[in-house]
Amino acid sequence: MQSQHAAPRPASPSPDGPLVDVGQAEAALVEHYPRLVRLAYLMLPPKPGDRGRRVLTAHALVQRALPRGRTAAPAAPARPRRSAGGRAAHSARSGRRADRSDRTERTDPADPAARAGRPERAGDGDGDPGYALVRLQVVRTALRAGPSRRRGARRRRSGLPALPPPLPQVWGLRLFPRSGGAGELALEQRLSALSGPARAAWVLRGLERLSDDDVHAVLTDAGAADAAGALREADRVPAEYRLLGSPAFDPCALQARPPDLVRRRRRLKASLAAGAALVVCGALFGLPDDGWAPDGAAAPPYALNRSAQAALDPGKLTRVSPAAWKTSARTDFSVWPARGDLAGDTALLRRTLAVWARPGERVRVSATPGTPSGGPAGPPQLLYAGTVDNARVVVLHDGLRITRYAEPLDGTGGAALDFARVDGADRAGASALVLGRADGNVRYLTAPWVRSAGARDLREPGADTAGLPLTGGVTPPVAGPVLKSGSCASWNVLELTDGTGTRLVTDLGELVPAVLTAGRPGAAREAAGGEVSRTWSPFACSLASMRSAGVRSVNAWAFAEQPLPDAGGTGPGSSLPGGGGGGGSASWVCTRAETWRGGGSLVQAQFRTPGGPSGVVAARAEDVPQCGEREPRVLAGVLWKSGAGTWYLLAAGSRGTTSVTATGGVEGTVRGNLLTLEAEQGARADLEGTLENGDRVSGLG
């Protein structure tokens, strides 16, 4: 076993390595802060019932990891290095298998919890000596933060009382990560049985994807006495690295709960003293204008620096001229003017900014996947402040996010704060915002360049568009998609017309509606013409699976038409719902949803028989390039039962597919992009296609 691990390395950074100054280290810490905190949290010794203190300790260790001056970078690289063999290659292969297992888990794409808590990708700090230096300091202090019996014994022998760790205190709240499943609990129990260096070695392998040579170097530089022994001890824990992305191990996504309320009541005098001290501190810092109170649903105030105070001053909100978009080189949310009947209500704007900076316990906070929910870095831009149905609504933009604050007209109880990422928005993506939803209806705020708006049912491409009057850019209530007991009765969308054409957008439960397009990837059309509507009509209901996923746009691409064997077919079989249709040709359509965070795409291949009311999903995949602009190709298959009672495997590839091969439960090869083979009910097959240039394409899903 000893030969499998690296030889000892020096315990300090090499003086010949690149020098890292404080600014470079700070930039690396800020950019990769969630990853570093997760790393520290996993390295700290778990204790039952002490998750809150462990969270605070992890944040404290990372925030104290900056060097005091220019420091040489450590020998271990910031990114993982491949190893030629031995234990390092085994660890890398185990990590890749865990990654593939994690990616192939079939989760509901509409469930935002299924996307939450994913750590940064391994190698996000590639080649950054500042990240390597900060990570080394985090590992070093995490190892020292573990329980030390010798140190405690020395203090007892000297008669000195034990000192509590200098951690930040949170009054009236207990903060801890979300609860995990059985797998996360079992992993935490296994890690708690390891020593501090062994636990650090296991975490560096799984979270940082470092080879054993580099793990050995990091542990040695961090002061571990026996790095090789720690690697051997870490081998006892299975390489279940996919669990490291669980929200249970994310100390940046916390839950807040009250402490012992009876004990807190008994300590009322201490609480009053702390409140008096807080008032004194606030007076010393000097509040601007007439003070921040009343803050409504915001949490109690805390000390703020000058830039943070400026971000919370309603008098410093950015307000854009109504005609700015006409001459601006950009056409996005940054050129929206401030609108609404309450745009001059300073008290409302102050409450909004205060709640954004520190939402209280009763404020409902939501954010699309990949969207940070922290306070503004500087004064944001005001887009809207007005009365919407029975609520006061304020919409702000900080360059990265759209933030909507809503409170009832009769007070601030039940306030809501919603965030949506909109960086990189173009003219189409910045066409409209959702102001509010009530009784299945949606009110939109349209862009200043929108000339007219209308509503139409996407499932009825031949129906007329109902015109919508715009009052200050706000639409009347528009009926949303109608979903009844698993069926899709209709799918209403918003049709917007400006100087460049007409486009369709749909509400997917986000602040920003998704843009609908149709056509081959790279040549998709936004205009709401008849062809776009006809392409989407049978597949509109599949949009329900993309709700609350941070979707920016969805494209539908009809990539194949396939003749059906045996006239009088009964529709898709196997696990797919029936769909009707007789002879003729079936349609294959690929829908791809792109998200605001860049990654996280959702691809679905859908199959529709002639005369069928809607298509059914034959295959789906996440985070794949197929059916997109990078790889405008796709291959999918489905089991189908004909009217004669015969089961077939039907498969189709996009244009340029020269042959399709099925293996497994059904075997056969055909030339061209269409495959039809007799099959048994419930059979499963793997598909592979060959392209004109000789490349291979696998079946979707």
Side-chain angles (χ1 to χ4, degrees), residues 95 116 263 314 388 459 497 538 549 565 699:
R263 182 178 300 176
V388 180
R459 300 205 61 190
T497 302

Side-chain angles (χ1 to χ4, degrees), residues 407-450:
E407 64 181 24
L409 294 177
D410 56 356
T412 60
L417 190 65
D418 303 311
F419 297 92
R421 184 172 173 177
V422 294
D423 52 318
D426 54 11
R427 187 184 187 97
S431 295
L433 290 174
V434 173
L435 285 182
R437 299 181 181 88
D439 301 326
N441 297 322
V442 186
R443 283 187 186 268
Y444 297 92
L445 175 65
T446 61
W449 52 83
V450 171

Side-chain angles (χ1 to χ4, degrees), residues 219 287 354 370:
L219 293 179
L287 298 177

Side-chain angles (χ1 to χ4, degrees), residues 148-165:
S148 175
R149 297 181 180 179
R150 294 182 180 179
R151 187 163 57 241
R154 286 198 300 268
R155 292 194 64 84
R156 286 193 297 271
R157 285 197 299 268
S158 64
L160 297 175
L163 296 177

Side-chain angles (χ1 to χ4, degrees), residues 534-698:
R534 286 191 297 272
T535 301
W536 266 110
S537 177
F539 307 98
C541 295
S542 65
L543 292 167
S545 64
M546 304 172 188
R547 294 177 63 87
S548 303
V551 173
R552 176 176 186 167
S553 63
V554 191
N555 183 59
W557 173 32
F559 66 90
E561 292 281 338
Q562 184 169 21
L564 295 175
D566 300 343
T570 59
S574 186
S575 61
L576 299 173
S585 296
S587 302
W588 285 95
V589 170
C590 182
T591 58
R592 180 183 177 90
E594 301 287 359
T595 63
W596 284 100
R597 58 189 182 277
S601 60
L602 173 63
V603 180
Q604 295 179 342
Q606 303 191 53
F607 177 81
R608 176 176 177 253
T609 55
S614 61
V616 292
V617 177
R620 71 177 66 199
E622 295 184 38
D623 306 335
V624 296
Q626 285 87 350
C627 196
E629 189 170 351
R630 285 191 173 183
E631 289 192 20
R633 60 191 187 188
V634 65
L635 173 64
V638 67
L639 281 178
W640 179 81
K641 184 179 181 181
S642 70
T646 304
W647 286 89
Y648 290 92
L649 171 64
L650 304 180
S654 55
R655 186 178 60 186
T657 304
T658 58
S659 67
V660 180
T661 299
T663 58
V666 184
E667 296 190 353
T669 300
V670 297
R671 296 184 61 83
N673 68 325
L674 302 176
L675 178 143
T676 303
L677 296 174
E678 290 192 16
E680 298 293 333
Q681 181 178 0
R684 294 184 177 273
D686 296 323
L687 298 174
E688 185 176 68
T690 303
L691 302 179
E692 292 174 343
N693 58 4
D695 290 346
R696 300 296 182 92
V697 57
S698 300

Side-chain angles (χ1 to χ4, degrees), residues 120-410:
E120 298 172 67
R121 296 190 300 272
D124 276 355
D126 282 1
D128 184 1
Y131 175 75
L133 179 63
V134 174
R135 180 184 65 192
L136 173 62
Q137 182 63 18
V138 170
V139 175
R140 179 182 290 125
T141 54
L143 293 179
R144 294 176 181 173
S148 175
R149 297 181 180 179
R150 294 182 180 179
R151 187 163 57 241
R154 286 198 300 268
R155 292 194 64 84
R156 286 193 297 271
R157 285 197 299 268
S158 64
L160 297 175
L163 296 177
L167 295 178
Q169 301 295 323
V170 181
W171 292 93
L173 288 178
R174 288 180 179 177
L175 303 176
F176 49 90
R178 297 184 181 277
S179 301
E184 288 87 347
L185 180 60
L187 176 59
E188 192 165 49
Q189 291 175 345
R190 294 191 186 101
L191 292 180
S192 65
L194 298 178
S195 64
R199 185 166 51 250
W202 194 95
V203 174
L204 288 171
R205 282 176 178 171
L207 192 60
E208 292 293 278
R209 292 292 188 266
L210 294 182
S211 67
D212 281 9
D213 290 345
D214 294 331
V215 172
H216 189 287
V218 173
L219 293 179
T220 301
D221 293 345
D226 185 9
L231 286 165
R232 290 194 298 272
E233 183 180 353
D235 291 341
R236 300 203 305 258
V237 177
E240 298 177 337
Y241 299 144
R242 64 182 180 83
L243 295 177
L244 294 181
S246 169
F249 300 134
D250 186 4
C252 289
L254 304 176
Q255 297 184 95
R257 293 294 184 271
D260 189 336
L261 298 180
V262 175
R263 182 178 300 176
R264 188 171 68 179
R265 180 178 297 176
R266 294 173 181 173
R267 297 178 179 178
L268 178 60
K269 292 183 179 180
S271 300
L272 293 176
L278 184 63
V279 172
V280 172
C281 291
L284 292 177
F285 275 95
L287 298 177
D289 299 331
D290 56 347
W292 296 112
D295 287 345
Y302 46 79
L304 300 172
N305 57 35
R306 292 184 178 180
S307 61
Q309 290 177 353
L312 302 183
D313 185 354
K316 295 184 178 181
L317 285 174
T318 301
R319 298 171 184 257
V320 176
S321 167
W325 65 272
K326 297 180 180 180
T327 57
S328 173
R330 300 174 57 180
T331 312
D332 55 16
F333 293 110
S334 65
V335 294
W336 276 36
R339 289 172 285 181
D341 59 315
L342 299 178
D345 190 335
T346 303
L348 172 62
L349 298 178
R350 177 175 290 132
R351 288 196 303 272
T352 300
L353 294 169
V355 173
W356 186 353
R358 51 182 198 278
E361 296 181 0
R362 297 183 180 181
V363 177
R364 180 185 60 79
V365 180
S366 67
T368 59
T371 305
S373 57
Q381 175 188 353
L382 177 63
L383 302 186
Y384 180 85
T387 304
V388 180
D389 297 327
N390 295 320
R392 288 183 289 265
V393 176
V394 178
V395 181
L396 302 170
H397 176 233
D398 67 351
L400 172 68
R401 302 164 292 176
I402 291 293
T403 303
R404 180 184 64 185
Y405 170 75
E407 64 181 24
L409 294 177
D410 56 356

